[in-house]
Amino acid sequence: MKSKQTDTSRRDFLLKSSTFLTGSVFLNGIAEALTLHNNPNKKMRIALVGLGVRGVNMFGRQVQQDYDDKIEFVGFCDSNPGRLEFGKEYIGADCPTFADFDKMLTATKPDLVIVTTVDNTHHTFIVKALEFGANVITEKPMTTDEDKCQQILDAEKKTGKSVIVTFNYRYSPHRQRIYEILRNGEIGDVTSVDFHWYLDTSHGADYFRRWHGFKEKGGTLLVHKSTHHFDLLNWWLNSDPEEVFAYGSQEFYGKNGPFRHTNCRPCPHKSKCDFYWDITKDQHMVDLYVKNEKHDGYLRDGCVFREELDIYDKMAVQIRYMNGVQVSYSLTSYSPYEGYRIAFNGTKGRLDAWIKESQPWEEPNVDEIRLTKNFGETEIISIPHGKGGHGGGDIRLKDKLFKDPSMSDPYRQSAGTRDGALSILVGIAARNSIETNLPVKIADLTDIELNKTGRGA
């Protein structure tokens, strides 16, 4: 066994994959070709709708602080007046606030709208922004069902404006390295993939405290969380998903708990509940949510054992791709540790990794990928762990979005509506399959024309 750092020449990679890159990036008009504003010397005018934790942090305060020479916030919108007031102060932008999205568009005339609202409302704001004449950046998932997805596709086609979906996972160094290895043909033609994701009893449980625990709002974790994972598969495999069959159930959270209450703070069982969370110890959460409960009744520290929670906490999905690749995927939301295992089986070898999220007391230096050739040696490829959120992906994503939208995209990391649609359609198909106990064909969900090679490359 031998080990080496990631020193593969970018030039060699580009030469080997130039045909693929040309087809996928330029002929399909994704973010590489997206111009968010016509005058590079003029600041991009941005309106933000949805001032929850993701909005005020990732796409609010951090963007204001890091890209203030490139962007200008011209309006904030949220249905909760308390969060709206706090969010504006926290972000630090001097711009008007609005409860009415239509009024914000008319008054501020943004070049770009960022959508970070509850998942099942994404389509409403995306479509309205496109029809107004603005481009859109939306948090994942793009939306939560096939009908809303089709509305977004139709609006983009009708208006000629563009949507970017923020798949930050594509930008992390070790996932990019997997992409390179697969594109270089190191394991030959990929035939199957084993992909298993583990959410721990902190992160996983938190989905059941929030609005994400309701199918109507988040579409289940197969849509809200797994959209990241299905997008990675679509991107890595360079093919469109064709058919999905899935199982799923709720066997740990919700009605399965030994006791329950509305939320953690007044709970009489807090002394014996392993999932008790004292939100008052986090001042940011208090300022953003607790102080503003009176406006809409939203309890950020909801009980993970509420009987009305209706999403699955364990899921298993089989996916068949247009190029013949078969994928076995699973998601578990109550693991003692966080991370994922993935293995690509190919005609010339196998590529696998066990990526475990670090604990607060750990200082990870590298992520490792294991490359094994048939009848050959095993090579351990070490990738320095990226700084910032999502393994370094957040910073690289935002640089592409706000510092230089036209920067080169050799690894096809920018994601448009087709990417956003195909990732959620796998999750939607899986959810539909669970409910009907039947396989679901992706082609039956929207009018997207599927390709054996992704994006017609």
Side-chain angles (χ1 to χ4, degrees):
M1 181 183 295
K2 56 182 179 179
S3 175
K4 69 174 185 178
Q5 297 293 320
T6 51
D7 57 1
T8 298
S9 166
R10 180 173 179 272
R11 179 184 300 171
D12 290 345
F13 168 70
L14 292 175
L15 288 174
K16 291 180 181 180
S17 55
S18 59
T19 301
F20 163 77
L21 292 171
T22 300
S24 65
V25 174
F26 296 104
L27 296 183
N28 293 279
I30 61 168
E32 174 69 20
L34 176 60
T35 302
L36 296 178
H37 51 97
N38 296 323
N39 186 348
N41 298 316
K42 178 186 176 184
K43 287 188 176 183
M44 191 188 308
R45 294 173 56 82
I46 298 178
L48 172 65
V49 56
L51 273 72
V53 68
R54 190 70 169 169
V56 301
N57 289 309
M58 170 78 171
F59 290 104
R61 184 183 179 96
Q62 293 173 21
V63 171
Q64 173 69 20
Q65 292 179 344
D66 297 341
Y67 306 96
D68 65 327
D69 61 328
K70 300 289 186 181
I71 67 96
E72 176 187 4
F73 280 112
V74 296
F76 297 137
C77 181
D78 197 280
S79 60
N80 186 304
R83 280 202 299 273
L84 194 56
E85 181 182 356
F86 169 76
K88 176 182 177 178
E89 180 182 355
Y90 180 77
I91 293 169
D94 184 18
C95 66
T97 59
F98 301 84
D100 187 300
F101 183 69
D102 293 337
K103 288 182 179 179
M104 180 176 71
L105 292 178
T106 302
T108 64
K109 297 178 174 57
D111 302 313
L112 174 73
V113 173
I114 301 178
V115 179
T116 56
T117 58
V118 175
D119 294 349
N120 68 335
T121 65
H122 284 183
H123 72 294
T124 299
F125 300 110
I126 293 171
V127 170
K128 284 185 175 183
L130 293 173
E131 291 177 342
F132 178 80
N135 292 296
V136 176
I137 291 174
T138 181
E139 251 299 308
K140 59 81 191 167
M142 193 169 74
T143 188
T144 54
D145 67 43
E146 58 268 47
D147 294 333
K148 294 173 182 177
C149 180
Q150 188 64 59
Q151 290 179 43
I152 295 171
L153 297 173
D154 291 343
E156 188 180 53
K157 185 183 299 183
K158 176 183 175 181
T159 63
K161 307 308 288 186
S162 298
V163 179
I164 286 180
V165 185
T166 55
F167 286 128
N168 43 14
Y169 277 22
R170 290 188 179 196
Y171 287 83
S172 67
H174 88 267
R175 295 177 186 117
Q176 177 182 303
R177 188 68 177 95
I178 290 174
Y179 179 92
E180 292 181 68
I181 294 170
L182 296 175
R183 293 285 75 74
N184 282 336
E186 295 284 347
I187 63 169
D189 295 329
V190 178
T191 57
S192 66
V193 183
D194 306 310
F195 193 9
H196 306 290
W197 203 284
Y198 313 101
L199 294 170
D200 65 20
T201 49
S202 175
H203 186 192
D206 208 41
Y207 289 112
F208 292 81
R209 294 190 181 100
R210 297 178 275 169
W211 53 260
H212 305 78
F214 298 95
K215 186 184 301 183
E216 177 187 2
K217 293 184 180 295
T220 76
L221 291 178
L222 285 167
V223 176
H224 176 80
K225 181 62 179 175
S226 298
T227 185
H228 268 316
H229 314 152
F230 298 144
D231 175 68
L232 285 173
L233 286 167
N234 298 344
W235 177 59
W236 280 327
L237 296 176
N238 186 35
S239 184
D240 292 342
E242 180 181 19
E243 186 173 274
V244 174
F245 183 80
Y247 292 104
S249 63
Q250 185 189 99
E251 65 174 19
F252 188 85
Y253 298 108
K255 61 184 179 299
N256 300 287
F259 38 69
R260 56 196 44 81
H261 200 66
T262 54
N263 61 308
C264 285
R265 275 165 289 154
C267 181
H269 310 291
K270 64 178 67 175
S271 63
K272 55 184 177 182
C273 181
D274 292 332
F275 291 93
Y276 169 68
W277 176 50
D278 187 357
I279 192 173
T280 64
K281 292 184 177 180
D282 187 328
Q283 190 59 47
H284 185 56
M285 290 289 105
V286 170
D287 292 337
L288 191 58
Y289 292 110
V290 175
K291 291 182 179 179
N292 300 307
E293 292 172 351
K294 59 181 179 286
H295 298 295
D296 57 15
Y298 177 55
L299 302 173
R300 177 58 182 80
D301 61 340
C303 178
V304 301
F305 297 130
R306 286 168 289 169
E307 291 189 349
E308 61 268 28
L309 295 172
D310 62 355
I311 66 169
Y312 321 115
D313 54 26
K314 71 168 186 178
M315 295 135 274
V317 184
Q318 295 292 312
I319 311 165
R320 185 176 69 214
Y321 277 79
M322 294 288 288
N323 63 1
V325 175
Q326 298 177 158
V327 174
S328 294
Y329 168 86
S330 70
L331 176 65
T332 304
S333 60
Y334 44 88
S335 173
Y337 47 76
E338 181 108 355
Y340 67 93
R341 294 178 185 268
I342 191 162
F344 298 86
N345 302 298
T347 55
K348 295 181 180 179
R350 176 179 168 101
L351 181 70
D352 59 320
W354 168 212
I355 306 297
K356 188 175 179 182
E357 296 294 331
S358 63
Q359 299 297 327
W361 58 86
E362 296 175 331
E363 292 291 336
N365 296 314
V366 297
D367 291 316
E368 292 185 341
I369 301 171
R370 183 185 183 97
L371 174 61
T372 306
K373 299 293 185 70
N374 288 349
F375 314 107
E377 295 182 310
T378 291
E379 177 182 332
I380 303 299
I381 302 169
S382 299
I383 301 94
H385 195 82
K387 295 181 179 179
H390 296 92
D394 285 357
I395 295 174
R396 300 172 78 192
L397 167 67
K398 287 187 291 185
D399 279 350
K400 170 67 174 173
L401 293 176
F402 304 113
K403 180 181 287 186
D404 183 8
S406 62
M407 72 169 60
S408 177
D409 187 18
Y411 305 107
R412 201 171 66 77
Q413 287 158 307
S414 293
T417 48
R418 195 173 194 278
D419 303 283
L422 288 174
S423 69
I424 60 171
L425 290 176
V426 177
I428 292 166
R431 187 183 68 216
N432 293 351
S433 176
I434 292 168
E435 293 174 352
T436 63
N437 199 33
L438 294 170
V440 176
K441 292 188 179 297
I442 299 295
D444 291 340
L445 301 177
T446 68
D447 65 5
I448 291 177
E449 183 177 345
L450 301 180
N451 300 304
K452 182 176 181 180
T453 302
R455 303 236 234 197

